[in-house]
Amino acid sequence: MRSEAAMPVPPLAVFLFAHQDDEFGCFAAIEAARADGLRPVCLYLTDGGGGRASPQARCDESRRVLLSLGVAAEDIHFPGVNECLPDGGLAGHLPAAFTAVQRCLLACQAPVARLLIHAWEGGHQDHDAAHLLGLAVARCHDLLPRTRQFALYHGAGLRHGLFRVLAPLAANGPCERTRLPWASRLRYLRLCCGYPSQWKSWLGLLPFVGLHMLIQGTQDLQPVSLGRIQDRPHPGPLLYEERGAARWAELVAAATPFAATHLGTAPTPAV
């Protein structure tokens, strides 16, 4: 009889999130990883303290949601909290975030088989910065063909702060679309109510997530490309520009040294 120590270690499916609650964009992908025999590992890249909620409250909320999805407690990591990486300012702290992620992956002592990262979509400046960091991790571990991006929200084609939710941009490539059973759709909607500290944000998000689950009911993933980041996520003002949270040129200036070093290319500052 083989001892427990001799049992093979499951490979990892790594999920990189900018903020606590960003996991709502890939609930199904987390459960699919477990069904595929992979070990989901979730890492949060900022402290989540950009609003009134405490980072600890936000970490507790995401931890409860992930545990309900079958993620092991020891595979939920908050390097953004540990390294004091500020919510809203990830682009200026990419080297520290990259080092922290690498340290976490090394401690897992298992190969990475799949990587899921934020889409390049211009919705939140930290999401775009997290995309760059995710590409750097993928390139370092030879994971680019096995890396997928998930959409959260963006304002492509809209103005005045309006946005679309869970709507992949065509420019990011073909969608790998998985239709979800009704039981899963309803369960994921209930999980979206598990972030009371972010109730103001969810007042805007939940109706759109509900419509997506009720009408489309899909998990949509897209491939990644180093060449794609040379362009703005989409024409026109980005959502974080419309909301006055950050400017594209500021993100490019902060992220270019990191991208040039780890990706061999960088976003263009052109508007």
Side-chain angles (χ1 to χ4, degrees):
M1 182 176 180
R2 299 178 67 183
S3 67
E4 184 176 345
M7 294 296 288
V9 177
L12 309 180
V14 175
F15 296 79
L16 298 181
F17 303 118
H19 315 109
Q20 299 87 335
D21 83 358
D22 286 344
E23 63 271 12
F24 84 88
C26 52
F27 285 156
I30 292 172
E31 293 198 311
R34 294 184 62 242
D36 291 341
L38 304 178
R39 173 183 158 197
V41 174
C42 300
L43 296 90
Y44 294 86
L45 304 174
T46 74
D47 62 12
R52 293 184 177 181
S54 72
Q56 186 58 57
R58 298 200 67 185
C59 291
D60 289 344
E61 290 167 357
S62 281
R63 186 181 290 108
R64 283 193 293 269
V65 168
L66 292 178
L67 290 173
S68 75
L69 293 170
V71 181
E74 61 270 22
D75 289 330
I76 305 171
H77 303 277
F78 300 96
V81 174
N82 298 336
E83 303 296 326
C84 301
L85 307 179
D87 184 341
L90 179 59
H93 298 269
L94 288 173
F98 180 76
T99 299
V101 169
Q102 294 286 67
R103 189 183 305 122
C104 284
L105 296 184
L106 181 64
C108 288
Q109 297 183 328
V112 181
R114 186 179 302 171
L115 178 64
L116 282 91
I117 66 176
H118 281 278
W120 187 244
E121 61 181 351
H124 191 291
Q125 66 272 22
D126 284 346
H127 297 174
D128 285 351
H131 183 86
L132 295 174
L133 186 142
L135 290 180
V137 172
R139 190 169 186 242
C140 179
H141 293 268
D142 196 23
L143 288 169
L144 286 170
R146 291 173 284 157
T147 299
R148 297 294 180 269
Q149 56 184 313
F150 59 91
L152 287 186
Y153 52 82
H154 61 78
L158 304 174
R159 295 299 300 271
H160 309 300
L162 298 177
F163 57 92
R164 296 183 173 90
V165 180
L166 301 177
L169 291 174
N172 284 336
C175 273
E176 299 170 3
R177 182 159 288 164
T178 303
R179 187 161 296 279
L180 308 175
W182 276 102
S184 295
R185 301 187 203 185
L186 297 176
R187 184 160 52 88
Y188 296 156
L189 277 176
R190 288 196 298 271
L191 288 180
C192 288
C193 298
Y195 309 100
S197 74
Q198 300 302 296
W199 67 270
K200 289 185 178 180
S201 296
W202 279 99
L203 279 179
L205 288 171
L206 192 57
F208 296 103
V209 177
L211 284 173
H212 175 86
M213 288 298 177
L214 295 176
I215 297 174
Q216 290 180 262
T218 57
Q219 172 76 79
D220 299 330
L221 303 176
Q222 294 171 285
V224 299
S225 165
L226 293 178
R228 172 76 172 109
I229 64 168
Q230 295 176 6
D231 301 323
R232 286 170 63 92
H234 61 75
L238 305 178
L239 185 59
Y240 49 82
E241 292 181 310
E242 286 276 283
R243 293 178 168 180
R247 303 294 299 176
W248 170 253
E250 296 168 348
L251 182 139
V252 170
T256 288
F258 174 84
T261 298
H262 292 279
L263 300 175
T265 187
T268 173
V271 296

